């Protein structure tokens, strides 16, 4: 449908195509009214590509909690909030509400592997990783070398009990192998890989003064192939073991002749991991003390120094869309009566930590928060099993204009009604089949405190939580329409002369 009303004359085809490209609404959608049009039109695919290209690009390195890439992403979002005139409402007049975290990593030069009687010292930097959760290790243990293909089984648990295990995988290794080694009480499990990067930061909530690493009983990590060959040689084993083929679903075990000394020193430090928060003040002197809110989570799974989990859809897409909503409200001449709260949460991937912190320490009282629109994964055409259910299989070609609404009817049916109403200007085909993920995004920490909330969610693909969740697979029409839907919904609720009606049951 053209965006031009009837009565226009002699408009060229090129002029007609331009507004359609800017709007990118789905088929059958209606033109918006003049009071919201400038903001609506400001949400563009070109902007979304630029913003998401940074957030899910090499600078931000997967936005891992406590890693430098997350802070770069937070700085970027804060800069966009400032660009669009949002008020900084975080700590000390900034856009950041900091959560206390301790981050830790192996000291790359002080952590090393050595073989008894051998002078060679294999330092951690670019040679091995070991997840000790911030604890130090000083241990000397027997070592065993395993060659495995598929889901090979141990000949006996005693073969690895109390030992360090070095695994050479002949092709893809089955998921059961590490589990079997852990059950057999292997102490340290090092999987041989072609390359190991510099040690990377991991994080745990809390303060260093209170941080008590648990004693390490078992730990897993990776070992560079060149370092593994050094260990083989030091134990009198042929380097051919590293490339030897074994039959499918078979495991070959060779005991080392020397003990392995593992010395790990962990670097630890306090770090503030921020939620990014900004406010657009409402136009009504009284109602501006209340807010309507839009949220995403900014973090993803980060990098291990070699691989990066880019998180383009999860949830770079939602964070880019939040920026789009900020731009829309900032440029629209008519502001809502209520204020609009913008939040990009930290540490969602490790347990909804950022939103829980905000709910416990709200900048705007939760009883003044009239509604939350949450966008978490709003940029893909879902396909494959949904939430692991083999009876719920999506097809990509059937989901180019679909969006799941999760929780939108639980606390306020009126919230869902409003979303349905403004959707006439956007054109999504809504699905209500994903309530099984209701507790798995940041809106839940608001909903459990009585805030009417709707979680926009595009559904799963096989790229979920994989390194293949990349920008090139994003449906930017879907992403930008998610932002447009939020903008229109929050504009309407923000101008109501009363709070949303609550369900009799309370949700």
């Amino acid at each position: 449908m053209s965006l031009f009303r009837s009565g226009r004359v002699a408009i060229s085809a090129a002029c007609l195509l331009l507004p359609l490209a800017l709007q990118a609404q789905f088929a059958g959608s209606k033109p918006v009214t003049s009071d919201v049009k400038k903001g609506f039109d400001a949400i563009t695919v070109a902007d979304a590509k630029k913003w998401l290209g940074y957030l899910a690009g090499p600078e931000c390195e997967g936005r891992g909690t406590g890693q430098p890439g997350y802070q770069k992403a937070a700085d970027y979002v804060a800069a966009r909030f400032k660009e669009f005139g949002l008020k900084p409402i975080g700590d000390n007049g900034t856009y950041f509400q900091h959560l206390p975290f301790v981050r830790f990593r192996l000291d790359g030069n002080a952590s090393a592997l050595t073989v008894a009687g051998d002078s060679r010292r294999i330092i951690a930097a670019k040679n091995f990783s070991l997840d000790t959760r911030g604890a130090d290790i000083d241990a000397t243990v027997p070592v065993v070398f395993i060659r495995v293909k598929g889901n090979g089984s141990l000949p006996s648990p005693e073969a690895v009990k109390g030992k360090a295990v070095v695994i050479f995988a002949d092709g893809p290794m089955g998921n059961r192998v590490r589990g079997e080694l852990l059950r057999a009480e292997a102490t340290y499990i090092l999987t041989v890989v072609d390359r190991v990067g510099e040690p990377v930061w991991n994080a745990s909530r809390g303060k260093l003064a209170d941080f008590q690493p648990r004693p390490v009983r078992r730990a897993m990590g990776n070992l560079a192939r060149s370092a593994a060959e050094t260990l083989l040689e030091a134990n009198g084993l042929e380097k051919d073991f590293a490339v030897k083929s074994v039959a499918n679903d078979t495991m070959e075990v060779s005991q080392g002749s020397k003990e392995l000394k593992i010395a790990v020193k962990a670097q630890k430090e306090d770090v503030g991991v921020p939620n990014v928060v900004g406010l657009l003040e409402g136009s009504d002197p009284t109602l501006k003390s209340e807010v309507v809110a839009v949220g995403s989570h900014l973090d993803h799974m980060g990098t291990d120094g070699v691989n990066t989990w880019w998180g383009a859809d999860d949830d770079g897409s939602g964070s880019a869309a939040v920026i789009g909503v900020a731009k829309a409200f900032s440029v629209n001449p008519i502001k809502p009566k209520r204020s609009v709260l913008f939040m990009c949460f930290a540490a969602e991937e490790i347990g909804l930590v950022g939103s829980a912190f905000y709910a416990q320490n709200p900048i705007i009282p939760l009883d003044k928060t009239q509604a939350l629109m949450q966008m978490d994964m709003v940029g893909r055409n879902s396909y494959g099993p949904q939430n692991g259910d083999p009876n719920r299989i999506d097809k990509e070609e059937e989901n180019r204009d679909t969006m799941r609404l999760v929780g939108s009817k639980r606390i306020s049916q009126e919230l869902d009604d409003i979303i349905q109403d403004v959707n006439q200007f956007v054109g999504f085909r809504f699905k209500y089949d994903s309530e099984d993920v209701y507790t798995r995004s940041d809106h839940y920490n608001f909903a459990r405190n009585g805030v009417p909330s709707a979680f926009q969610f595009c559904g799963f693909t096989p790229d979920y939580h994989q390194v293949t969740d990349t920008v090139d697979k994003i449906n930017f029409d879907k992403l930008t329409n998610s932002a447009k839907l939020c903008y229109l919904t929050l504009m309407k609720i923000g101008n109501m002369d009363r709070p949303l009606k609550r369900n009799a049951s309370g949700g």
Side-chain angles (χ1 to χ4, degrees):
M1 176 184 288
S2 170
L3 298 179
F4 294 89
R5 298 186 184 277
S6 59
R8 302 271 183 165
V9 294
I11 301 173
S12 72
C15 290
L16 282 170
L17 288 173
L18 178 61
L20 286 169
L22 290 173
Q23 295 285 7
Q25 293 134 292
F26 291 123
S29 57
K30 299 178 181 179
V32 294
T33 54
S34 59
D35 57 328
V36 296
K37 180 174 172 54
K38 188 169 183 179
F40 189 87
D41 290 350
I43 300 170
T44 67
V45 166
D47 278 342
K49 286 183 175 180
K50 176 177 64 177
W51 300 328
L52 184 58
Y54 183 86
L55 294 175
E59 282 289 328
C60 296
E61 296 183 300
R63 310 183 306 280
T65 296
Q67 294 185 345
Y70 179 83
Q71 187 60 52
K72 290 181 180 180
D75 290 340
Y76 185 82
V77 173
R80 304 289 77 71
F81 283 3
K82 182 177 181 180
E83 177 185 353
F84 299 132
L86 302 188
K87 179 181 178 181
I89 58 171
D91 303 339
N92 303 314
T94 69
Y95 292 100
F96 299 142
Q97 182 191 39
H98 283 102
L99 289 65
F101 270 81
V102 177
R103 67 178 183 179
F104 44 83
R105 66 180 177 185
L106 270 63
D107 186 321
N109 292 310
S111 301
L113 305 176
T114 53
V115 174
D118 193 290
S119 62
R120 287 171 290 186
R121 183 171 177 266
I122 301 170
I123 63 170
K126 297 187 178 181
N127 286 305
F128 75 90
S129 64
L130 204 58
D131 183 6
T132 71
R133 310 310 295 170
D136 293 343
I137 296 175
D138 185 4
T140 300
V141 292
V143 61
V144 61
F145 298 89
I146 286 177
R147 187 75 184 164
V148 65
K149 187 171 185 178
N151 277 310
S153 296
L154 280 168
S156 163
E158 295 301 319
V160 299
K161 185 176 181 179
K163 300 175 182 179
V165 178
V166 177
I167 306 172
F168 294 88
D170 182 7
M173 183 172 66
N175 294 327
R176 291 194 297 105
V177 172
R178 290 189 187 90
E180 184 175 359
L181 293 171
L182 290 172
R183 287 190 295 274
E185 300 183 32
T187 305
Y188 307 105
I189 301 172
L190 292 165
T191 302
V192 177
V193 295
D194 289 332
R195 187 164 64 95
V196 175
E198 294 285 349
V200 298
W201 291 107
N202 291 293
S204 177
R205 188 176 177 186
K207 296 182 178 179
L208 187 57
D210 304 316
F211 184 65
Q212 298 290 334
R214 294 181 180 179
V216 179
R217 293 178 57 237
R218 289 188 285 272
M220 293 194 292
N222 292 325
L223 181 67
R225 189 168 301 278
S226 58
E229 291 173 352
T230 298
L231 294 184
L232 281 172
E233 182 181 343
N235 277 272
L237 295 173
E238 296 293 334
K239 287 187 178 181
D240 287 351
F241 186 90
V243 295
K244 184 179 179 181
S245 292
V246 295
N248 194 41
D249 292 334
T250 300
M251 183 182 294
E252 180 180 312
V253 178
S254 292
Q255 299 290 335
S257 60
K258 306 283 183 66
E259 289 189 311
L260 179 67
K261 180 176 176 57
I262 302 175
V264 165
K265 294 292 183 183
Q267 297 174 320
K268 298 179 282 289
E269 63 184 30
D270 286 313
V271 62
V273 177
N275 292 327
V276 187
V277 289
L279 188 75
L280 180 132
E281 290 194 326
S283 60
D284 184 272
T286 301
L287 288 178
K288 72 178 183 179
S289 65
E290 301 178 2
V291 296
V292 290
V294 58
S296 70
H297 74 85
L298 186 57
D299 68 306
H300 192 56
M301 296 165 63
T303 179
D304 64 4
V306 175
N307 302 296
T308 300
W309 286 260
W310 303 103
D313 189 35
D314 184 17
D315 184 29
S317 63
S319 297
V322 168
I323 297 172
V325 178
K327 182 181 180 183
F329 275 107
S330 73
V331 304
N332 201 69
I334 301 174
K335 310 301 182 190
K337 296 176 181 179
R338 291 179 175 83
S339 298
V340 186
L341 173 62
F342 298 84
M343 300 176 288
C344 292
F345 298 111
E348 187 267 1
E349 297 288 5
I350 57 175
L352 314 186
V353 174
S355 56
F357 184 85
Y358 181 94
Q360 294 160 2
N361 305 274
I363 298 171
I364 307 296
L366 295 184
D367 62 2
K368 294 286 188 180
T369 305
Q370 294 300 319
L372 169 65
M373 294 289 287
Q374 181 74 11
M375 292 182 286
D376 186 351
M377 299 172 60
V378 293
R380 291 293 300 273
N381 307 322
S382 59
Y383 71 98
Q386 295 303 294
N387 205 18
D389 186 347
N391 297 313
R392 294 160 55 197
I393 306 295
D394 276 13
K395 297 180 180 179
E396 184 170 9
E397 63 272 16
E398 297 174 355
N399 286 283
R400 300 188 187 283
D401 60 353
T402 59
M403 182 61 62
R404 268 88 178 178
L405 290 180
V406 180
S408 58
K409 302 177 182 180
R410 291 199 180 209
I411 299 174
S412 171
Q413 175 65 49
E414 187 177 27
L415 172 58
D416 187 79
D417 294 341
I418 289 171
I419 295 171
Q420 291 282 356
D421 180 52
V422 301
N423 186 52
Q424 66 184 297
F425 306 110
V426 178
F428 275 122
R429 291 188 297 117
F430 290 133
K431 291 185 172 184
Y432 291 88
D433 62 352
S434 295
E435 290 297 308
D436 54 340
V437 300
Y438 177 65
T439 63
R440 287 173 53 180
S441 192
D442 289 305
H443 69 286
Y444 181 62
N445 284 315
F446 291 78
R448 69 194 303 184
N449 284 285
V451 177
S453 303
F455 165 23
Q456 285 190 78
F457 167 61
C458 64
F460 292 101
T461 75
D463 299 309
Y464 175 67
H465 280 194
Q466 303 299 314
V467 297
T468 50
D469 180 7
T470 50
V471 174
D472 58 297
K473 297 174 182 176
I474 294 294
N475 177 344
F476 280 95
D477 286 344
K478 183 171 283 190
L479 188 162
T480 51
N481 279 323
S482 297
K484 291 171 188 289
L485 186 75
C486 281
Y487 166 68
L488 295 177
T489 300
L490 297 179
M491 183 69 86
K492 186 163 185 175
I493 298 172
N495 279 319
M496 291 171 61
D497 59 4
R498 56 169 177 79
L500 285 169
K501 295 177 182 177
R502 307 298 181 95
N503 299 343
S505 64

